[in-house]
Amino acid sequence: MSLKELPTLTSRGGLGGALRFKRDQLGFLAAGVRHHGDLFRFRLLGVPMVLANRPDHIRHILVDEDDRYDKDTIIFKVVRPVLRNGLIAVADRELWRRQRRMMAPLFTPRTIAGFARNMTDETERMLARWERRRQADEALLDVTDEIGQLALRVVNRSLFSADVSRAAQEFERAFGTANSILGSFFRFPFPPLSVPTPRHHRLRQAIDHMDRFVSDMINKRLGEEETTGVPGTPADLLTLLLRSVDEEDGTGMEAEQLHHEVLNICIGAYETTTNALSWGLYLLARHPEVEGRLHDEVDRVLGGRIPQFEDLPRLVYTRMIIDETLRLYSPAYQTMRHAREEDAIAGYRIPAGSNILINSYLLHRHPEFWPEPERFAPDNFAPERVSVRPKHAYIPFGSGPRVCIGKHFALAELTLALAMVARRHRLVLPEDARKVEPEPLITLHPRGGIHLRLVCR
Ligand code: HEM
């Protein structure tokens, strides 16, 4: 069967498309879909790109034919100076396989259940701080910053059994700098990161800062006796990483690889979870009818208690709110794959070497699969709707072998934290509230942050 050539999104002059992509990446791609449909190619500063925007394309690339694709592609080249050879960006398939084999047992629902206390304890602490501020009439919260600290504390307690409050704020700042510089470098990759501009110097400093944070935590642990925490509580993730041995060759992780994996877990867990819960609280503030149903469920299921991991299957509507938030504002809203060989998708030729862009901001608004795509409607995730929708219309955690390893961790944390906020409090829009727009950095950040006022229910 002869293959068709992909439609091409052209722009006047080689630089035109790149400049439009830099200015408005999501608008540029949405216009491409309007003109050329769900599969088209374009060039960014000479680099051949293909946008794939249908569930069957995504399943083909990430699941059915994943052997034909790897992560040796621009977006991962952009983030590799930070993430190095850790699980998120590593392109070497053998190294990835070995690391994933060793790390998968650390992220099963059973292991995650042991970390649920970290999630609820830290949320309690945050809410107590919010309540003190409310009583002191300082109830306008910088929600993104607050949730960022919560997410970092939870992942650090789970990794290191440590309270890292002050260091967490500094890590947050360093990550924010790197996310913003690399986000704009991805949209317009010039000049190369090796050119010593003041911005690139700031990036270097931010990376050094995050590296120092991770080395300090690991060195502290190596200097101590191996901790398994209070008897009866699970070993932390660092202990599990230090103990993990590859079943095929019986060896553990090199020190450098361990450093990269710890950093990947911190980064993978921090910004995505922060954005998801911040957007979720913002959407609830704008949709009191959804919030009312959330309160009913939380009251009925918890009866005033603090939730536990075992409550998760009964927090059905709470979870639907999380799922819908991850649809509208998918924090990891784009990924890429590199075609290692020529392939065919939906009868079109995919040339070897193509950089395939998958953008879940667009996919999650595809009108064929989502009625009223822009509306915040948790009922999109009622079981009867999920069962008739193609699975790959919704990929907030990716799919296939490289699906997010922290998915169960994230969903437990998000659901427990949301239920805890809703138990006694509401977050409402301040009087002068403006609509918060998404800012497509490496992750989908709320532009200007989210600021809400805390009130009691
Ligand atoms: C709402 C929260 C989260 C979202 C939306 C998210 C999203 C994603 C996505 C889309 C991928 C796949 C990327 C691709 O295919 O290119 C991924 C991979 C990954 N995530 Fe997450 N993630 C979240 C939370 C977490 C947490 C809590 C952790 C760690 C505790 C984590 C660690 C990782 C790692 C290590 C990978 C690489 C997996 C591999 O390639 O084997 N993530 N994440």
Side-chain angles (χ1 to χ4, degrees):
M1 192 184 71
S2 72
L3 294 173
K4 293 176 280 186
E5 290 300 318
L6 286 167
T8 306
L9 176 63
T10 50
S11 50
R12 277 165 284 121
L15 209 56
L19 290 176
R20 272 168 53 216
F21 192 80
K22 176 177 162 63
R23 238 187 350 258
D24 178 14
Q25 174 185 347
L26 298 172
F28 172 87
L29 295 172
V33 171
R34 273 197 305 278
H35 288 115
H36 298 293
D38 286 325
L39 194 63
F40 62 85
R41 64 180 166 185
F42 59 104
R43 279 187 175 268
L44 263 192
L45 294 180
V47 178
M49 311 270 285
V50 173
L51 181 84
N53 194 44
R54 284 188 75 78
D56 50 330
H57 304 159
I58 313 288
R59 202 191 59 225
H60 177 102
I61 297 159
L62 298 183
V63 187
D64 297 345
E65 300 295 333
D66 84 288
D67 271 0
R68 292 170 181 256
Y69 296 90
D70 62 29
K71 285 199 174 185
D72 187 13
T73 178
I74 335 171
I75 193 162
F76 294 108
K77 287 182 184 154
V78 167
V79 294
R80 211 163 281 134
V82 180
L83 297 169
R84 268 70 56 98
N85 268 339
L87 217 49
I88 298 177
V90 62
D92 178 329
R93 291 153 56 83
E94 279 317 304
L95 178 57
W96 169 77
R97 230 175 246 121
R98 175 185 149 86
Q99 290 301 115
R100 181 91 187 199
R101 238 184 354 248
M102 286 167 83
M103 289 169 65
L106 280 60
F107 291 94
T108 59
R110 199 157 156 237
T111 319
I112 301 309
F115 299 128
R117 251 318 271 285
N118 297 342
M119 300 168 186
T120 52
D121 282 359
E122 289 298 337
T123 309
E124 268 287 273
R125 245 173 99 181
M126 178 185 77
L127 289 170
R129 201 171 59 242
W130 288 8
E131 182 53 31
R132 281 196 298 277
R133 288 181 52 182
R134 190 189 65 79
Q135 287 171 7
D137 269 345
E138 301 165 14
L140 187 66
L141 299 172
D142 181 340
V143 172
T144 332
D145 182 50
E146 293 284 331
I147 303 294
Q149 290 183 46
L150 169 69
L152 264 182
R153 286 190 186 133
V154 168
V155 72
N156 282 313
R157 237 176 103 163
S158 307
L159 264 165
F160 311 119
S161 307
D163 180 348
V164 291
S165 305
R166 179 156 318 138
Q169 266 171 328
E170 288 164 16
F171 186 95
E172 234 188 319
R173 260 196 297 279
F175 180 81
T177 304
N179 195 13
S180 150
I181 295 175
L182 292 177
S184 63
F185 183 73
F186 171 68
R187 290 194 302 279
F188 195 78
F190 192 82
L193 292 177
S194 53
V195 176
T197 65
R199 268 172 88 71
H200 295 169
H201 180 64
R202 283 211 319 282
L203 174 66
R204 187 68 260 157
Q205 283 180 319
I207 296 171
D208 288 348
H209 191 99
M210 289 186 277
D211 275 342
R212 260 198 313 278
F213 172 81
V214 169
S215 312
D216 287 353
M217 298 309 289
I218 296 179
N219 291 339
K220 192 158 159 269
R221 168 60 55 83
L222 293 176
E224 293 164 1
E225 289 259 281
E226 196 180 88
T227 317
T228 50
V230 182
T233 61
D236 59 31
L237 285 169
L238 181 57
T239 305
L240 296 175
L241 283 167
L242 286 163
R243 280 186 199 156
S244 58
V245 170
D246 183 26
E247 63 195 24
E248 286 195 3
D249 64 17
T251 63
M253 257 181 236
E254 302 279 335
E256 195 184 4
Q257 189 67 31
L258 176 77
H259 179 112
H260 295 164
E261 298 303 0
V262 169
L263 184 67
N264 275 241
I265 293 172
C266 283
I267 290 179
Y270 152 64
E271 163 88 357
T272 47
T273 314
T274 303
N275 285 336
L277 191 54
S278 306
W279 282 116
L281 293 170
Y282 170 74
L283 288 164
L284 282 173
R286 291 180 63 98
H287 295 85
E289 70 295 352
V290 175
E291 191 191 38
R293 281 178 69 186
L294 169 67
H295 290 161
D296 289 348
E297 175 173 276
V298 166
D299 294 350
R300 183 169 37 77
V301 172
L302 302 179
R305 285 185 295 114
I306 289 180
Q308 297 178 351
F309 189 79
E310 293 67 31
D311 291 310
L312 288 173
R314 291 187 297 140
L315 291 166
V316 176
Y317 191 67
T318 315
R319 170 64 192 274
M320 282 161 63
I321 294 174
I322 297 294
D323 289 341
E324 175 67 349
T325 303
L326 291 172
R327 177 184 76 83
L328 277 176
Y329 297 111
S330 218
Y333 70 104
Q334 59 181 354
T335 187
M336 288 183 77
R337 292 294 187 272
H338 158 254
R340 303 166 66 216
E341 51 194 80
E342 184 173 302
D343 193 13
I345 299 182
Y348 288 97
R349 191 175 73 84
I350 305 294
S354 300
N355 293 279
I356 318 273
L357 181 60
I358 297 173
N359 185 301
S360 48
Y361 188 89
L362 295 183
L363 179 76
H364 291 173
R365 284 169 168 73
H366 198 304
E368 209 175 308
F369 308 104
W370 306 96
E372 299 186 84
E374 292 294 341
R375 194 163 77 86
F376 175 56
D379 285 331
N380 277 324
F381 289 89
E384 64 280 9
R385 295 232 196 133
V386 174
S387 65
V388 295
R389 198 168 43 229
K391 182 168 171 240
H392 290 86
Y394 181 65
I395 50 158
F397 294 101
S399 188
R402 296 203 74 157
V403 68
C404 176
I405 205 170
K407 176 179 170 177
H408 300 297
F409 190 108
L411 288 172
E413 179 176 355
L414 292 168
T415 311
L416 291 171
L418 183 59
M420 285 181 72
V421 173
R423 230 163 41 106
R424 299 218 189 94
H425 292 102
R426 302 181 56 216
L427 286 161
V428 297
L429 296 170
E431 267 125 48
D432 56 348
R434 49 178 181 84
K435 187 160 187 281
V436 179
E437 298 295 340
E439 184 177 17
L441 303 176
I442 293 298
T443 51
L444 195 69
H445 196 75
R447 194 184 294 278
I450 287 172
H451 299 85
L452 299 171
R453 207 158 51 76
L454 184 73
V455 294
C456 276
R457 279 178 59 190

